[in-house]
Amino acid sequence: MSEASMAPVRTWLAAPMGQEVSEAIDRLRRSPDVQQIAVMPDVHLSADVCIGVVVATSHLIYPQAVGGDIGCGMLAVALDVDAASLGDPRVAGHVLAELSRAVPARRRNRRKVIQQPEDVAGVALSNPSLESIRRNEGAIEFATLGSGNHFIEIQADEDNRLWLMVHSGSRALGQAIRDNHLSRAQPVDNRFRVLDANSNAGAEYLHDASCARSFAGASRRAIAEEVGSVLARTIGAKVCWETVITTDHNHVSLEHYGGRDLWVHRKGAMPARLGESGVLPGSMGSVSFHVEGRGHEAALCSSAHGAGRALSRTQARAQVTERELRRQMSGIWYDSRIAGKLLDEAPSAYKNIRAVLRAQKDMVKLTRTLRPVLNYKGV
């Protein structure tokens, strides 16, 4: 394939791309029906399609360009108390203990099943196998956090007001949807599998992916409500729901660019249409940002979804000691008893979030800066 016939690629980088990332993007731009690619500043290597990549097609759907955690995203909402409410280490420890009970990371720790909203539970998936997973595994995992980089964080803004930030996804349901539809998709280029959006198979994937997005969004809201109950009991805080910001960063949607409709796949990239609010988290030891989209069409109206990994999980576990993690987390409440299980989530394993924000200044504008006060991660 000639250079002229390959899809155009635009990049906004906070650091040079590694060779493996560059090669992965090059494979993608040579693939059928790929019309345009935008590479976000938090780009890093992942299976098949890199995280931090936005892909536009005219009719072919690439489930691998969405990934398995369909609908994974962020929720941020203000509280009516300030950072002094978490100044006492005994209070912070009590909050962490209560969070682990109220919002388990793993399904096996679930003490109660939280009811899904009717607009989520009442929409059937495309086949009985997936529907069974949603009604069983999905029911247990709804409003659980998950592990890895998923978290609950209490943060303070420039005025020292506390905010809640939640990062979670569709758990096993999204992965089951991806795997089920990939098994029926058509192979291309010995690497990717595709579905035609105009076919029954394509329509079924799009329906199920939309259901996973709804599940993930409702799950984040339920998590935030559980956290709100914990904070009301422990520090007398109230959640100010009128301030809520929600966004997700693993999805495919039909959008209009350059006079035509395109299927825009975002894997580790959030939408940033003109005036659209977004949440740009750093690491568990660095600041995070609230942003507003500028509607930059060359970037397919997208933004980075966070800092992005600078070290793989294997590299981080090899390079970061428990002592170093504690140093990097100085001044932030977290469960130091599990420090050995958090080495791959150390702040130094992530890119500089300020550099990420600077690299995409034509895509979003900053509206709020928040520093971490208390961080709860599942392991």
Side-chain angles (χ1 to χ4, degrees):
M1 182 181 291
S2 69
E3 185 75 21
S5 61
M6 291 193 294
V9 177
R10 292 286 303 275
T11 61
W12 290 261
L13 300 179
M17 271 197 298
Q19 182 176 349
E20 289 182 297
V21 171
S22 181
E23 289 173 353
I25 292 169
D26 193 54
R27 284 193 298 270
L28 187 61
R29 71 184 300 213
R30 297 171 182 271
S31 299
D33 192 40
V34 173
Q35 304 291 312
Q36 184 177 341
I37 296 174
V39 180
M40 302 293 104
D42 58 340
V43 65
H44 57 279
L45 197 64
S46 182
D48 303 317
V49 176
C50 293
I51 293 171
V53 169
V54 186
V55 183
T57 63
S58 68
H59 67 281
L60 292 184
I61 303 298
Y62 283 73
Q64 291 146 299
V66 174
D69 200 1
I70 303 167
C72 183
M74 311 296 303
L75 180 150
V77 65
L79 306 173
D80 69 345
V81 295
D82 65 23
S85 302
L86 284 172
D88 187 327
R90 291 171 299 180
V91 173
H94 186 41
V95 170
L96 282 166
E98 288 292 304
L99 287 178
S100 68
R101 285 189 280 268
V103 187
R106 305 282 190 167
R107 65 182 294 273
R108 65 175 180 268
N109 297 334
R110 169 56 83 204
R111 295 168 185 247
K112 64 176 180 177
V113 173
I114 294 177
Q115 195 69 29
Q116 298 174 41
E118 181 57 33
D119 61 348
V120 174
V123 180
L125 295 173
S126 66
N127 67 63
S129 174
L130 291 175
E131 183 62 15
S132 176
I133 291 171
R134 187 181 68 81
R135 291 190 179 278
N136 294 286
E137 191 82 359
I140 297 171
E141 290 193 337
F142 184 76
T144 61
L145 188 62
S147 56
N149 65 348
H150 294 148
F151 62 82
I152 293 167
E153 191 164 275
I154 310 300
Q155 306 167 328
D157 65 15
E158 300 96 331
D159 298 321
N160 229 28
R161 181 183 189 177
L162 290 184
W163 285 72
L164 166 65
M165 183 183 286
V166 177
H167 177 202
S168 68
S170 53
R171 309 291 274 114
L173 179 62
Q175 296 175 36
I177 288 170
R178 175 201 59 191
D179 294 345
N180 181 281
H181 289 282
L182 277 177
S183 70
R184 298 186 292 151
Q186 296 298 311
V188 295
D189 297 342
N190 299 317
R191 189 85 186 195
F192 302 113
R193 301 182 74 88
V194 299
L195 298 158
D196 193 321
N198 300 313
S199 69
N200 288 337
E204 289 174 353
Y205 170 77
L206 291 169
H207 168 79
D208 291 346
S210 177
C211 289
R213 285 184 82 179
S214 297
F215 176 94
S219 182
R220 280 189 292 280
R221 175 77 183 217
I223 288 172
E225 290 172 350
E226 290 294 301
V227 175
S229 296
V230 167
L231 297 178
R233 293 195 304 270
T234 54
I235 62 173
K238 177 184 175 183
V239 176
C240 303
W241 287 108
E242 68 276 9
T243 67
V244 70
I245 303 169
T246 62
T247 184
D248 70 333
H249 45 246
N250 291 342
H251 59 257
V252 56
S253 62
L254 189 62
E255 301 176 16
H256 195 75
Y257 296 97
R260 58 179 179 158
D261 290 333
L262 294 172
W263 288 102
V264 177
H265 307 63
R266 295 185 177 91
K267 185 180 182 184
M270 67 177 171
R273 301 172 189 89
L274 182 63
E276 185 170 14
S277 296
V279 179
L280 191 64
S283 69
M284 63 189 288
S286 66
V287 297
S288 296
F289 302 117
H290 294 171
V291 297
E292 185 178 294
R294 296 185 186 275
H296 193 49
E297 292 202 4
L300 293 165
C301 292
S302 300
S303 160
H305 80 310
R309 297 197 70 89
L311 300 175
S312 70
R313 294 192 180 277
T314 301
Q315 289 172 327
R317 285 191 290 268
Q319 296 181 28
V320 181
T321 64
E322 289 188 37
R323 181 178 180 180
E324 176 59 19
L325 175 66
R326 290 188 175 95
R327 186 193 68 79
Q328 293 179 25
M329 292 295 291
S330 176
I332 302 164
W333 303 121
Y334 75 107
D335 190 348
S336 60
R337 297 171 300 177
I338 60 171
K341 297 179 180 180
L342 295 174
L343 300 180
D344 54 1
E345 283 296 306
S348 59
Y350 285 85
K351 296 177 183 177
N352 184 320
I353 189 62
R354 294 186 185 276
V356 168
L357 183 66
R358 287 195 299 270
Q360 57 173 31
K361 61 182 182 297
D362 52 353
M363 293 143 68
V364 298
K365 65 179 180 180
L366 175 66
T367 59
R368 186 174 291 109
T369 301
L370 306 108
R371 60 179 174 85
V373 175
L374 181 148
N375 183 282
Y376 165 63
K377 273 188 185 290
V379 294

